[in-house]
Amino acid sequence: MDRLAQLEVFSKTAELGSLSKAAEALRMSNAAASRHLSALEERLAVRLIERNTRRLWLTEAGQELLERSSRVLNELAEAEDIVSDRALSPQGTLRVTSSLSFAVIYLAPMLPAFRARYPKLNMQITTANRYPDFIEAGIDVAIRTREQEPDSNIIVRRIGQMRRVLAAAPSYLESCGAPEQPADLARHNMLVYNLANDPYSLRLRKGHGAQTVRITPTLDSNDGQVIRGAALAGLGILIQPLYIVQSDIAAGRLVPVLMDWELPLLTMNIAYQNRAGLPAKIRVFSDFLVSHIREHSEPGIWIDTAK
């Protein structure tokens, strides 16, 4: 840091032709400016500036240093301007990963408004249900359903909790009947998301009572859209977050079952690396996403969302 101050004093003195004017421009005392200049000449073991009572001028070594140091100082100033501008108007590329369902239902619809507000910020969205490593995958933000991260360098910001639902196509319910109690699920064709916590054991609650049912899936998959498609085709009863099937339920393509029983809530989070200064692009994206979810989700999907 002292070396930078020394170069700044030297460059500003050469520019203004006066050490006192350079000190004033750099907001330091004359004595401090003089110490910086003397320290620079002592470190380089060469005289950079000659002066008398009326004026000062650069030595040959001083001219050489001025040319080179000016380029360095200008590049540093430009870099600071770019970073400052990005803090006010984020730019570059933001790399986001989420499940396919979340990307289709929430991320894609919000992009036009987000892009209009931050036109210099480009988006790269990778859909993945597994949780890739941030550094290896070059990820800035991950939308995840686990509440804690094994890596203490990962920050988790909660979006909110959402309901899960059991539902099936009318054709399936007509041929196989609707379950009346949780235990009935053991004899039904079940469509299971296999990356859920303990996916083959359903814990349901009704008032103060609770039941746990072990199920054998007719189909399990690591993608919610595959499960949804199978349910729409009449293959069985799915277990999915309500946001994935809300439109199908509203249109009558799927019918909820065991509605008086509650499945454990699903917590959705935004995760990103812990850094000394949170990049503006991550901050504005996180704030925009939470606001978008709160304003555009159908009633009843979320129990609560972040403020």
Side-chain angles (χ1 to χ4, degrees):
M1 186 60 69
D2 286 343
R3 289 189 175 190
L4 178 58
Q6 292 166 9
L7 287 176
E8 287 179 325
V9 168
F10 166 71
S11 179
K12 188 61 71 174
T13 299
E15 175 189 343
L16 300 178
S18 167
L19 183 60
S20 61
K21 290 180 180 179
E24 182 180 359
L26 295 171
R27 298 182 179 181
M28 65 176 63
S29 67
N30 288 347
S34 180
R35 285 196 299 272
H36 281 305
L37 184 56
S38 296
L40 177 61
E41 290 182 324
E42 182 178 349
R43 180 164 56 83
L44 298 179
V46 65
R47 189 76 168 172
L48 300 172
I49 296 177
E50 297 287 0
R51 49 192 176 271
N52 56 30
T53 56
R54 292 186 298 179
R55 70 183 185 93
L56 59 78
W57 62 95
L58 297 181
T59 64
E60 184 177 348
Q63 289 284 2
E64 178 71 17
L65 179 62
L66 180 63
E67 291 180 12
R68 297 179 181 275
S69 63
S70 293
R71 290 197 296 269
V72 172
L73 293 172
N74 287 337
E75 289 178 1
L76 178 60
E78 289 176 3
E80 290 178 341
D81 288 343
I82 290 172
V83 171
S84 177
D85 182 59
R86 287 188 178 184
L88 298 174
S89 178
Q91 56 187 282
T93 299
L94 179 70
R95 297 170 177 83
V96 179
T97 183
S98 79
S99 69
L100 175 61
S101 295
F102 193 91
V104 169
I105 294 170
Y106 285 116
L107 295 185
M110 74 170 243
L111 289 181
F114 184 73
R115 174 72 177 178
R117 183 174 298 184
Y118 304 106
K120 296 181 180 179
L121 186 56
N122 300 319
M123 297 289 296
Q124 183 182 99
I125 297 176
T126 300
T127 58
N129 294 311
R130 293 286 186 183
Y131 297 146
D133 179 84
F134 275 85
I135 296 176
E136 291 182 4
I139 294 167
D140 295 307
V141 178
I143 312 301
R144 298 184 167 178
T145 56
R146 62 187 183 192
E147 298 189 39
Q148 295 181 335
E149 296 285 339
D151 187 347
S152 61
N153 290 320
I154 301 301
I155 299 296
V156 173
R157 175 181 175 181
R158 179 164 146 170
I159 298 175
Q161 290 184 304
M162 62 181 67
R163 289 187 172 92
R164 295 194 298 161
V165 66
L166 293 151
S171 60
Y172 175 83
L173 296 177
E174 288 173 6
S175 62
C176 298
E180 297 180 0
Q181 296 293 329
D184 295 341
L185 295 173
R187 62 176 179 80
H188 275 274
N189 296 341
M190 300 301 298
L191 313 176
V192 177
Y193 178 68
N194 58 26
L195 296 182
N197 291 329
D198 197 6
Y200 311 118
S201 181
L202 292 184
R203 296 182 298 278
L204 298 99
R205 182 176 298 276
K206 179 180 180 181
H208 297 293
Q211 292 188 31
T212 299
V213 181
R214 295 293 299 179
I215 56 175
T216 300
T218 299
L219 168 71
D220 68 11
S221 174
N222 65 353
D223 190 276
Q225 291 301 316
V226 173
I227 299 296
R228 171 179 171 266
L232 291 172
L235 189 60
I237 300 174
L238 59 67
I239 311 109
Q240 283 286 279
L242 182 56
Y243 83 95
I244 294 179
V245 295
Q246 175 67 35
S247 62
D248 297 315
I249 292 173
R253 293 186 294 267
L254 293 176
V255 178
V257 298
L258 296 178
M259 286 297 288
D260 51 346
W261 290 84
E262 296 181 354
L263 289 161
L265 298 175
L266 186 67
T267 300
M268 190 72 72
N269 302 298
I270 301 170
Y272 47 84
Q273 294 182 71
N274 186 11
R275 300 173 181 175
L278 180 64
K281 63 182 181 179
I282 295 178
R283 174 178 51 79
V284 299
F285 172 80
S286 300
D287 291 345
F288 198 97
L289 175 60
V290 170
S291 177
H292 174 82
I293 288 174
R294 188 165 59 242
E295 295 174 8
H296 295 89
S297 291
E298 293 292 331
I301 291 179
W302 296 83
I303 298 300
D304 64 81
T305 55
K307 304 299 183 184

